[in-house]
Amino acid sequence: MTTRPSGRAPDALRPVSIETGFARHAEGSALIRMGGTEILCAASVEPRVPPFLRGQGKGWVTAEYGMLPRATHARGAREAAKGKQSGRTQEIQRLIGRSLRAVTDLSALGEISITVDCDVLNADGGTRCASITGAWVALRLALEKLVRNRVLARVPLTAQVAAISCGLTGAGAVLDLDYDEDSAAAADANFVLTEAGGIVEIQGTAEQAPFSQAQFEALLRLAQDGTQHLFAVQRAAVDAALAARSDAS
C-alpha cells in the first residue's frame, strides 16, 4: 500500500465548492471547483424544443461541454478552429445531458429547452464528473427562475444527481482521482448517482488487468459516500442562491 500523490486518505474528496451566479446573464449558473479542476456551468432557457419533440408538450434538457485552450498543461487547439468536436467532447456532453434528463420531468417542463454549457477553465482530472455536479445546480436555479416568473407551477426535478470518479491505484481503491492518479490508475470508473442511491450511469475501464467484482463494489461504496458530500454542497449552494434572491426582491 502506498500513499496518494496528494496525501489524501483513500476516501477523501479534493476540496470542493460551488459558487452560483457567476454567469450573470444565464438563467442559472454555477462555478464548481474540485481541487485544481474548475468548470463554469451556465443554464440557458429557450421557449422551444427540438423538431422531434414539437407538439408533444414535453421539454428538453441538454448540455454542451468544452475546454479552454489552456485548461490543460499544454495548449489545446479550439475545436471551433478545427471545425468539429472530438469524439471525447461529444461523449462527455451526451453523458451530462443524459444525467440531467434522468432527474427531470420533461412532461412537466412543457415545450421549453434548457441547455447547460459546461466550460472547463482548469482541468486536473474528473472534469466530466464535476460538470454533472455543477450542471445540476445551474439547472435547478434556472428552473427556480421559471417558477418565480410563473412560467412553471413547480420545479420539475425528481432527484439530485452528482458524479464522482474512483479508481484502483497503488494506494488501493481511491475516491476522486486527480490527473496524476487518473493517468496512472490500474482501473478507473465514473459513477453518476442520485441522492437516494439510484444509479444513472457507470463508466468503468480496466487500464491494465481486469478487476474483480469485489474491487468494483469497493469503488461503488466509495462513490456512494463521496456523492453524499457532493449532494450536501449542491444543496447549500442552491439554498444560498435562493436566499440571496429573496433578500434582493
Side-chain angles (χ1 to χ4, degrees):
M1 184 71 68
T2 60
T3 59
R4 304 179 71 175
S6 62
R8 284 183 286 145
D11 61 350
L13 289 167
R14 292 172 290 178
V16 55
S17 66
I18 298 177
E19 176 186 347
T20 61
F22 193 85
R24 292 191 299 273
H25 303 295
E27 282 77 13
S29 68
L31 177 62
I32 181 168
R33 296 181 173 95
M34 294 191 69
T37 289
E38 298 178 313
I39 301 170
L40 176 59
C41 305
S44 300
V45 176
E46 296 179 286
R48 57 181 178 271
V49 292
F52 68 90
L53 282 175
R54 286 176 191 160
Q56 297 183 35
K58 294 174 63 175
W60 186 245
V61 176
T62 189
E64 293 192 10
Y65 169 95
M67 299 182 72
L68 294 186
R70 279 317 303 263
T72 52
H73 295 90
R75 184 184 187 276
R78 293 183 189 273
E79 292 186 337
K82 295 179 180 179
K84 65 177 182 178
Q85 292 179 315
S86 69
R88 176 183 180 274
T89 294
Q90 294 179 55
E91 185 260 324
I92 291 175
Q93 62 190 28
R94 287 169 183 161
L95 170 64
I96 300 166
R98 287 195 303 272
S99 301
L100 297 176
R101 289 192 296 275
V103 297
T104 304
D105 182 348
L106 298 177
S107 295
L109 184 57
E111 294 206 357
I112 291 171
S113 292
I114 301 179
T115 301
V116 184
D117 290 292
C118 299
D119 291 295
V120 180
L121 312 181
N122 288 294
D124 186 26
T127 61
R128 71 185 65 197
C129 293
S131 292
I132 292 167
T133 302
W136 183 88
V137 173
L139 174 62
R140 170 70 187 274
L141 294 177
L143 292 170
E144 291 280 0
K145 185 170 185 178
L146 290 174
V147 171
R148 189 172 71 255
N149 292 342
R150 300 183 179 180
V151 176
L152 298 177
R154 63 177 178 85
V155 172
L157 288 174
T158 60
Q160 279 179 257
V161 68
I164 196 69
S165 65
C166 299
L168 300 174
T169 71
V174 298
L175 177 69
D176 190 18
L177 304 178
D178 57 27
Y179 176 79
D180 288 340
E181 289 179 313
D182 187 41
S183 59
D188 62 84
N190 300 305
F191 295 86
V192 186
L193 307 174
T194 71
E195 85 279 11
I199 295 172
V200 174
E201 189 154 341
I202 297 173
Q203 301 175 329
T205 304
E207 301 291 349
Q208 299 173 15
F211 55 94
S212 67
Q213 179 176 333
Q215 289 173 312
F216 169 77
E217 290 171 352
L219 296 177
L220 176 58
R221 287 193 296 272
L222 282 174
Q224 290 169 332
D225 290 343
T227 50
Q228 287 304 315
H229 178 73
L230 296 178
F231 294 133
V233 174
Q234 286 178 325
R235 288 191 294 270
V238 170
D239 289 347
L242 296 182
R245 283 181 179 177
S246 254
D247 292 341
S249 60

